[in-house]
Amino acid sequence: MSTPLQTPRQAPEQAPRQESARVSSGLLDPRLLLTSLPLAVRKLDPRVMWRNPVMFIVEVGAVWATFLAVREHTVFAIAIMVWLWLTVVFANLAEAVAEGRGKAQADTLRKAKKDTTARRLVNGREERVPAAELRQGDVVVVEAGQVIPGDGDVVEGIASVDESAITGESAPVIRESGGDRSAVTGGTKVLSDRIVVKITQKPGESFIDKMISLVEGASRQKTPNEIALNILLAALTIIFMIATATMQPFAIWGKMSNPGVPDTGALDGNGVTGIVLVSLLVCLIPTTIGALLSAIGIAGMDRLVQRNVLAMSGRAVEAAGDVNTLLLDKTGTITLGDRQASEFIPVGGVSEEELASSAQLASLADETPEGRSVVVYAKQAYGLRERGPGELSHAQWVPFAAQTRMSGVDVDGWRLRKGAASAVADWVREHGGLVSPALGDVVDGISASGGTPLVVGEVKDGRARVLGVIHLKDVVKAGMRERFDHMRAMGIKTIMVTGDNPLTAKAIAEEAGVDDFLAEAKPEDKLAFIKAEQDGGRLVAMTGDGTNDAPALAQADVGVAMNTGTSAAKEAGNMVDLDSDPTKLIEIVEIGKQLLITRGALTTFSIANDVAKYFAIIPALFVGLYPGLDALNIMRLSSPQSAILSAVIFNALIIIALIPLALRGVRYRPGSASQLLNRNLAVYGLGGVIAPFVGIKLIDLLIQFIPGISS
């Protein structure tokens, strides 16, 4: 193949660069605000607004304020009307901006979902049909340069595929039949060779269709947590409506008791004016979190999209934030996947340098990852120059073969072999050599530690002997122990799942720092383990890519399927990692926790805001009727009208100010629930009380001289 091939393991290394490029444009790009504004206005439709009870009440209040402003035709009433409408628009703008951030990716996906002609196989003959007419079970042929017409599994052939339309990565990946890398996505392009694909999608339900719908927020359903919070906000709104209604009798009674108190723009002979009652209600109900709640949920899914993870539902994102147990595959997730040479152990008086040189030479014809690692380790650890077969043109190279389980070279009467311990030991004996008992002790020690021993032997000058042992080990990825410590601090238990024997699994688990391991794991073992954890009241997350992982992925609360995996795995999971990086499960958990913390932090801030607004509005409004309230008039606002209008303006502007935080999310720091609560109360609770005092006072200073406001 002329096209450079990329293994799935390479893709994640490029993902961070891609992510930073995506978000570098800023959270509140003026162009994004401009394009989102028409959508925010369209969302004023009551049929849309009623889904958000808090903001629906604000819109009803704005409509009533408009009627009153037209009737009274005062500067104060008109200003209140304008800012109430701006409050509703700003709330819609928060959601529109959150949705707009996904539209750019959706546009890219639509380019991949263009009209494509499929070469469908029917009774061994090809027929060209539009891709839209393909059905489940159809078989199509795709060759180099052609676009794959639909989602499916490769049933014949192997090819490199350009998936940049889906993942954003320019390097191609391998797709082949008969393994866990057989799934292909409609809209991606075959770069080399020829494959036969069996279509697995239903019409209109392709992977790209789902992605477009999800990243635009079109199919985002409210999560249980979000629904519960909406109910709470609706209940608070009803309570504040009752509280606002009770102010009128107090005002009327106060006016009757103090007939000498002059009328103002806020109080008249009939008590509190209608425009002020509407303003009071809007300022006292939890409008801040009501305006930002939907945007927080959309932004949480968007953050996953930025990391090339497709969440099939908002419920899965929330569940990730509450996960108690993580199941991670050992190979490719915790370890690099290929065993690497880590030590040369000589026997029989041979020096380490002599063993290293012989091991490197015997591995030159071994193209397996283990063989290449021996060559690299000898070069790095002992400074040996890597020799190529071209330098020994007269040598006879012995490539590694599964039958012999050895590789090596014959040159100038010198014969070298490297391979499995029993195979090399038998080879030495066949040539008249003796195998020292010390070899067995070294081999057994490496095996007991979870490693793999490879033995090096030679026949030189008619003498056969064993030179030593190469220690191969599963190399744990750098930084994994720190990441698992991070998980532990978050209260999450990490479980390593492997098919290795318990001895090997234990050694890797201890080195990686996971809490526990599941050795010799079969599909039914994974499923049983997940059920047992869930029966104990814990939420479980796991990754997988094969058909045998599908039952466990479906059972897990958060099942992350690899994009390189089979269609069965992707259908079973509720998330798909487009980069096929199993360690991304850790990032997904952090994003889920960040979503929940952001929602809690802004709810705390919103409710604290309401407390501060009481001190701003109630004393300024009623101090003339009830002089005792002057003790609560901390802000010393210039007039009742100015106090009301300042609170309404602040109520609207704080929504715009908090949109970046809702989109970016509150930074998550590992800690106990009590620590998180104390931090929320200190930062967002106290901040939510202080911010309105400062903001409303500043606005009052700016507007107090406007005619019709200061009276």
Side-chain angles (χ1 to χ4, degrees), residues 182-210:
S182 60
V184 291
T185 305
T188 57
K189 188 177 182 180
V190 173
L191 298 179
S192 67
D193 297 281
R194 173 185 184 273
I195 53 176
V196 178
V197 178
K198 184 177 182 179
I199 301 298
T200 57
Q201 74 181 49
K202 295 179 181 178
E205 296 183 6
S206 70
F207 192 63
I208 290 183
D209 288 324
K210 292 178 183 177

Side-chain angles (χ1 to χ4, degrees), residues 42 46 168 211 224 266 278 350 396 412 461 504 587 609 623 631 634 637:
R42 289 197 297 272
M211 283 192 68
V278 172
V350 177
Q396 292 183 347
D412 298 330
D461 299 329
T504 301
E587 294 181 52
N609 258 246
V623 69
I634 301 172
L637 302 177

Side-chain angles (χ1 to χ4, degrees), residues 77 102-104 112 148 156 168 208-209 235 242 302 377 411 473 538 670 676 690 697 703:
K103 289 187 182 294
I148 297 173
E156 180 183 322
I208 290 183
D209 288 324
I242 296 172
D302 182 61
Y377 180 71
V411 55
K473 62 183 294 187
R538 291 175 287 274
L676 294 175
I690 295 174
K697 182 60 179 178
I703 68 172

Side-chain angles (χ1 to χ4, degrees), residues 311-651:
M312 298 303 183
S313 69
R315 183 192 295 264
V317 185
E318 268 190 10
D322 287 328
V323 158
N324 308 107
T325 305
L326 281 179
L327 265 65
L328 301 107
D329 273 336
K330 183 203 72 171
T331 305
T333 304
I334 296 174
T335 65
L336 293 176
D338 297 320
R339 295 176 181 248
Q340 307 285 309
S342 62
E343 186 181 10
F344 292 137
I345 306 172
V347 296
V350 177
S351 67
E352 287 190 27
E353 289 73 14
E354 183 181 359
L355 173 60
S357 179
S358 299
Q360 185 190 60
L361 190 59
S363 301
L364 291 178
D366 184 357
E367 294 298 331
T368 64
E370 291 82 2
R372 301 308 302 164
S373 76
V374 173
V375 176
V376 172
Y377 180 71
K379 178 181 177 181
Q380 294 176 344
Y382 296 90
L384 298 177
R385 181 176 62 85
E386 184 176 345
R387 294 162 289 186
E391 298 181 38
L392 301 168
S393 56
H394 58 291
Q396 292 183 347
W397 299 97
V398 181
F400 176 83
Q403 293 80 8
T404 63
R405 296 185 296 160
M406 294 187 297
S407 66
V409 62
D410 297 339
V411 55
D412 298 330
W414 182 30
R415 307 179 69 185
L416 276 173
R417 294 294 184 271
K418 177 223 69 187
S422 58
V424 174
D426 290 342
W427 180 81
V428 169
R429 293 190 186 97
E430 289 174 4
H431 290 81
L434 297 177
V435 177
S436 169
L439 177 65
D441 296 337
V442 174
V443 168
D444 291 342
I446 293 174
S447 298
S449 69
T452 300
L454 294 180
V455 175
V456 180
E458 70 169 5
V459 176
K460 189 174 184 180
D461 299 329
R463 179 190 176 196
R465 61 172 180 162
V466 171
L467 300 177
V469 184
I470 303 168
H471 183 178
L472 294 181
K473 62 183 294 187
D474 252 347
V475 178
V476 175
K477 291 180 177 179
M480 291 307 296
R481 176 173 285 277
E482 290 75 14
R483 299 191 79 172
F484 291 135
D485 288 341
H486 188 65
M487 290 288 105
R488 199 171 293 109
M490 293 163 64
I492 297 173
K493 182 180 180 182
T494 51
I495 310 293
M496 183 186 77
V497 181
T498 176
D500 288 341
N501 62 69
L503 196 62
T504 301
K506 182 180 179 181
I508 297 296
E510 290 176 350
E511 184 178 354
V514 295
D515 296 311
D516 204 350
F517 63 89
L518 186 63
E520 297 178 340
K522 297 184 287 294
E524 54 269 26
D525 297 329
K526 298 178 188 178
L527 186 61
F529 184 87
I530 292 173
K531 287 181 177 179
E533 288 288 302
Q534 291 171 331
D535 289 342
R538 291 175 287 274
L539 296 183
V540 181
M542 77 159 288
T543 61
D545 57 4
T547 301
N548 62 346
D549 291 324
L553 286 171
Q555 180 66 35
D557 300 284
V558 180
V560 184
M562 301 295 101
N563 191 41
T564 55
T566 62
S567 297
K570 290 197 283 188
E571 286 294 327
N574 49 26
M575 291 188 187
V576 177
D577 177 18
L578 303 178
D579 288 332
S580 299
D581 176 12
T583 61
K584 200 174 288 182
L585 184 59
I586 298 173
E587 294 181 52
I588 292 171
V589 170
E590 291 181 345
I591 290 172
K593 287 189 174 294
Q594 186 183 41
L595 171 65
L596 297 177
I597 290 172
T598 302
R599 190 179 291 156
L602 292 183
T603 300
T604 304
F605 186 90
S606 179
I607 294 174
N609 258 246
D610 296 334
V611 174
K613 291 171 195 170
Y614 271 112
F615 284 90
I617 299 173
I618 304 301
L621 182 62
F622 289 105
V623 69
L625 299 177
Y626 304 100
L629 289 175
D630 189 60
L632 300 179
N633 191 12
I634 301 172
M635 299 187 199
R636 299 296 168 183
L637 302 177
S638 58
S639 69
Q641 295 99 317
S642 177
I644 297 290
L645 182 57
S646 297
V648 170
I649 293 174
F650 176 84
N651 196 58

Side-chain angles (χ1 to χ4, degrees), residues 654-678:
I654 196 65
I655 295 173
I656 289 292
L658 290 175
I659 290 178
L661 183 61
L663 298 183
R664 184 181 63 248
V666 175
R667 183 181 176 186
Y668 171 71
R669 296 182 180 89
S672 65
S674 60
Q675 289 175 324
L676 294 175
L677 177 61
N678 292 336

Side-chain angles (χ1 to χ4, degrees), residues 186-255:
T188 57
K189 188 177 182 180
V190 173
L191 298 179
S192 67
D193 297 281
R194 173 185 184 273
I195 53 176
V196 178
V197 178
K198 184 177 182 179
I199 301 298
T200 57
Q201 74 181 49
K202 295 179 181 178
E205 296 183 6
S206 70
F207 192 63
I208 290 183
D209 288 324
K210 292 178 183 177
M211 283 192 68
I212 291 173
S213 182
L214 286 165
V215 298
E216 287 188 323
S219 67
R220 195 189 79 88
Q221 302 297 318
K222 291 187 185 300
T223 64
N225 185 291
E226 196 172 346
I227 292 171
L229 186 53
N230 264 318
I231 293 172
L232 173 63
L233 296 181
L236 288 175
T237 300
I238 293 172
I239 292 171
F240 283 122
M241 288 176 68
I242 296 172
T244 303
T246 60
M247 292 182 188
Q248 187 69 305
F250 281 106
I252 294 173
W253 184 80
K255 289 288 288 184

